[in-house]
Amino acid sequence: MLRLIFGGDSRRKRIARQRLWREMKLVGQGFYYKDRPIQAHIVPIRRCNLDCKYCNEYDDFSPPVPLETMYRRIDALGRLKTLLITISGGEPL
């Protein structure tokens, strides 16, 4: 696997090397910073009118999370010095 990633200099291999480096960096930070979360996933709204077969977030009745609550949650993750925060959910259209 590593031979495929590090051999040659095509664009795909360069991107694969960059992705591997980012992943290894996060793993290293996880070992070094044991007192903080590595990753947190925030879903501010679950409502979606689509029913994609791959998605487990389909929900057509949950209300959105109030903005003040989202601010408090994000501030709490900042105080914990979370390394990676992702935000997703809902269908914008």
Side-chain angles (χ1 to χ4, degrees):
M1 166 97 174
L2 291 177
R3 184 175 179 194
L4 290 173
I5 292 174
F6 291 106
D9 199 23
S10 70
R11 182 175 182 271
R12 284 180 56 195
K13 290 180 182 177
R14 182 174 42 84
I15 291 171
R17 282 193 305 267
Q18 290 171 346
R19 185 180 311 114
L20 179 64
W21 173 251
R22 279 194 317 265
E23 291 171 359
M24 296 306 290
K25 188 173 144 184
L26 269 177
V27 168
Q29 288 175 337
F31 281 117
Y32 185 74
Y33 299 111
K34 295 182 183 195
D35 59 340
R36 64 174 81 167
I38 294 174
Q39 182 177 10
H41 184 78
I42 296 176
V43 182
I45 186 168
R46 295 179 59 92
R47 182 165 292 198
C48 179
N49 59 350
L50 301 176
D51 189 10
C52 302
K53 299 301 178 204
Y54 60 87
C55 184
N56 61 353
E57 297 291 334
Y58 176 71
D59 183 355
D60 61 353
F61 55 86
S62 294
V65 178
L67 192 56
E68 295 79 22
T69 304
M70 289 303 302
Y71 285 146
R72 283 196 314 272
R73 291 177 181 176
I74 292 171
D75 289 340
L77 290 171
R79 283 191 303 277
L80 290 171
K81 298 181 181 175
T82 306
L83 297 173
L84 179 65
I85 300 173
T86 57
I87 299 174
S88 68
E91 168 59 34
L93 301 177

Short mmCIF file of all heavy atoms in Angstrom, two decimals, residues 1-5 7 10 12 33 39 50 67-68 72-74 79 82 88 91-92:
data_model
loop_
_atom_site.label_atom_id
_atom_site.label_comp_id
_atom_site.label_asym_id
_atom_site.label_seq_id
_atom_site.Cartn_x
_atom_site.Cartn_y
_atom_site.Cartn_z
N MET A 1 0.83 -1.21 0.00
CA MET A 1 0.00 0.00 0.00
C MET A 1 0.86 1.26 0.00
O MET A 1 0.64 2.15 -0.78
CB MET A 1 -0.93 -0.05 1.22
CG MET A 1 -1.58 1.26 1.53
SD MET A 1 -3.21 1.32 0.85
CE MET A 1 -3.76 2.85 1.51
N LEU A 2 1.82 1.32 0.93
CA LEU A 2 2.67 2.51 0.99
C LEU A 2 3.50 2.67 -0.27
O LEU A 2 3.76 3.79 -0.70
CB LEU A 2 3.57 2.47 2.22
CG LEU A 2 2.85 2.62 3.56
CD1 LEU A 2 3.83 2.49 4.70
CD2 LEU A 2 2.12 3.93 3.63
N ARG A 3 3.89 1.54 -0.88
CA ARG A 3 4.66 1.62 -2.12
C ARG A 3 3.83 2.28 -3.22
O ARG A 3 4.34 3.08 -4.00
CB ARG A 3 5.10 0.23 -2.53
CG ARG A 3 5.99 0.24 -3.74
CD ARG A 3 6.49 -1.15 -4.01
NE ARG A 3 7.33 -1.12 -5.19
CZ ARG A 3 7.70 -2.17 -5.85
NH1 ARG A 3 7.34 -3.37 -5.43
NH2 ARG A 3 8.45 -2.06 -6.91
N LEU A 4 2.55 1.94 -3.28
CA LEU A 4 1.67 2.56 -4.26
C LEU A 4 1.51 4.06 -4.01
O LEU A 4 1.46 4.85 -4.94
CB LEU A 4 0.29 1.90 -4.24
CG LEU A 4 0.21 0.48 -4.77
CD1 LEU A 4 -1.17 -0.09 -4.52
CD2 LEU A 4 0.54 0.44 -6.24
N ILE A 5 1.43 4.44 -2.76
CA ILE A 5 1.22 5.85 -2.42
C ILE A 5 2.48 6.67 -2.66
O ILE A 5 2.44 7.75 -3.21
CB ILE A 5 0.76 5.99 -0.96
CG1 ILE A 5 -0.64 5.40 -0.81
CG2 ILE A 5 0.77 7.44 -0.52
CD1 ILE A 5 -1.14 5.35 0.60
N GLY A 7 5.30 5.79 -4.42
CA GLY A 7 5.99 5.62 -5.70
C GLY A 7 5.39 6.53 -6.76
O GLY A 7 4.21 6.80 -6.79
N SER A 10 2.26 11.09 -9.59
CA SER A 10 1.02 11.52 -10.22
C SER A 10 0.20 12.35 -9.22
O SER A 10 0.44 12.34 -8.02
CB SER A 10 0.21 10.32 -10.70
OG SER A 10 -0.30 9.61 -9.59
N ARG A 12 -2.90 11.91 -8.26
CA ARG A 12 -3.62 11.04 -7.32
C ARG A 12 -2.72 10.58 -6.19
O ARG A 12 -3.14 10.53 -5.04
CB ARG A 12 -4.18 9.83 -8.06
CG ARG A 12 -5.40 10.17 -8.89
CD ARG A 12 -5.94 8.98 -9.59
NE ARG A 12 -6.25 7.92 -8.64
CZ ARG A 12 -6.47 6.67 -8.99
NH1 ARG A 12 -6.42 6.31 -10.25
NH2 ARG A 12 -6.75 5.76 -8.07
N TYR A 33 -2.25 14.50 22.82
CA TYR A 33 -3.23 15.27 23.60
C TYR A 33 -4.31 14.31 24.10
O TYR A 33 -5.38 14.22 23.52
CB TYR A 33 -3.86 16.36 22.75
CG TYR A 33 -2.89 17.37 22.22
CD1 TYR A 33 -2.60 17.43 20.86
CD2 TYR A 33 -2.26 18.27 23.07
CE1 TYR A 33 -1.71 18.37 20.37
CE2 TYR A 33 -1.38 19.21 22.59
CZ TYR A 33 -1.11 19.25 21.24
OH TYR A 33 -0.23 20.18 20.76
N GLN A 39 -12.20 14.44 17.58
CA GLN A 39 -13.19 14.86 16.59
C GLN A 39 -14.56 14.96 17.21
O GLN A 39 -14.93 14.16 18.06
CB GLN A 39 -13.23 13.88 15.42
CG GLN A 39 -14.21 14.28 14.35
CD GLN A 39 -14.18 13.33 13.17
OE1 GLN A 39 -13.56 12.28 13.22
NE2 GLN A 39 -14.86 13.69 12.11
N LEU A 50 -35.24 14.45 1.48
CA LEU A 50 -34.73 13.40 0.62
C LEU A 50 -34.67 12.09 1.40
O LEU A 50 -34.67 12.08 2.62
CB LEU A 50 -33.33 13.76 0.12
CG LEU A 50 -33.24 15.07 -0.68
CD1 LEU A 50 -31.80 15.36 -1.03
CD2 LEU A 50 -34.10 15.01 -1.91
N LEU A 67 -30.15 28.47 17.74
CA LEU A 67 -28.84 29.07 17.49
C LEU A 67 -28.04 29.26 18.77
O LEU A 67 -26.83 28.99 18.80
CB LEU A 67 -29.02 30.40 16.76
CG LEU A 67 -27.77 31.04 16.18
CD1 LEU A 67 -27.08 30.09 15.22
CD2 LEU A 67 -28.13 32.33 15.48
N GLU A 68 -28.69 29.68 19.85
CA GLU A 68 -27.98 29.88 21.12
C GLU A 68 -27.38 28.57 21.64
O GLU A 68 -26.28 28.53 22.17
CB GLU A 68 -28.90 30.49 22.18
CG GLU A 68 -29.40 31.88 21.85
CD GLU A 68 -30.54 31.87 20.84
OE1 GLU A 68 -31.24 30.83 20.69
OE2 GLU A 68 -30.72 32.89 20.16
N ARG A 72 -23.41 27.62 22.28
CA ARG A 72 -22.90 27.05 23.54
C ARG A 72 -22.13 25.76 23.28
O ARG A 72 -21.08 25.51 23.88
CB ARG A 72 -24.05 26.79 24.51
CG ARG A 72 -24.57 28.03 25.20
CD ARG A 72 -25.41 27.71 26.43
NE ARG A 72 -26.41 26.66 26.23
CZ ARG A 72 -27.66 26.86 25.79
NH1 ARG A 72 -28.06 28.09 25.51
NH2 ARG A 72 -28.49 25.86 25.65
N ARG A 73 -22.64 24.93 22.40
CA ARG A 73 -21.97 23.66 22.10
C ARG A 73 -20.62 23.89 21.43
O ARG A 73 -19.62 23.25 21.77
CB ARG A 73 -22.85 22.80 21.20
CG ARG A 73 -24.07 22.27 21.91
CD ARG A 73 -24.95 21.49 20.99
NE ARG A 73 -26.14 21.02 21.68
CZ ARG A 73 -27.14 20.38 21.10
NH1 ARG A 73 -27.08 20.12 19.79
NH2 ARG A 73 -28.17 19.99 21.80
N ILE A 74 -20.59 24.81 20.48
CA ILE A 74 -19.33 25.10 19.79
C ILE A 74 -18.33 25.73 20.74
O ILE A 74 -17.13 25.41 20.72
CB ILE A 74 -19.59 25.99 18.55
CG1 ILE A 74 -20.38 25.18 17.51
CG2 ILE A 74 -18.30 26.51 17.96
CD1 ILE A 74 -20.89 25.98 16.35
N ARG A 79 -13.48 25.22 24.24
CA ARG A 79 -12.84 25.14 25.56
C ARG A 79 -12.14 23.80 25.77
O ARG A 79 -11.10 23.72 26.41
CB ARG A 79 -13.87 25.38 26.67
CG ARG A 79 -14.25 26.83 26.86
CD ARG A 79 -15.06 27.03 28.12
NE ARG A 79 -16.26 26.23 28.18
CZ ARG A 79 -17.43 26.55 27.62
NH1 ARG A 79 -17.54 27.69 26.94
NH2 ARG A 79 -18.48 25.76 27.74
N THR A 82 -10.97 20.86 21.01
CA THR A 82 -11.24 19.78 20.07
C THR A 82 -10.41 20.00 18.81
O THR A 82 -10.35 21.10 18.28
CB THR A 82 -12.74 19.74 19.73
OG1 THR A 82 -13.48 19.66 20.94
CG2 THR A 82 -13.08 18.57 18.85
N SER A 88 -22.61 19.15 9.70
CA SER A 88 -23.39 18.70 8.54
C SER A 88 -24.81 18.43 8.97
O SER A 88 -25.15 18.49 10.14
CB SER A 88 -22.77 17.41 7.94
OG SER A 88 -22.94 16.34 8.84
N GLU A 91 -30.98 19.24 4.38
CA GLU A 91 -30.91 19.51 2.95
C GLU A 91 -31.22 20.99 2.74
O GLU A 91 -32.29 21.46 3.11
CB GLU A 91 -31.94 18.64 2.20
CG GLU A 91 -32.17 19.02 0.77
CD GLU A 91 -30.92 18.96 -0.08
OE1 GLU A 91 -30.07 18.09 0.16
OE2 GLU A 91 -30.79 19.79 -0.99
N PRO A 92 -30.27 21.78 2.22
CA PRO A 92 -30.46 23.23 2.12
C PRO A 92 -31.55 23.65 1.15
O PRO A 92 -32.06 24.75 1.24
CB PRO A 92 -29.10 23.74 1.64
CG PRO A 92 -28.45 22.59 0.98
CD PRO A 92 -28.98 21.36 1.68
#
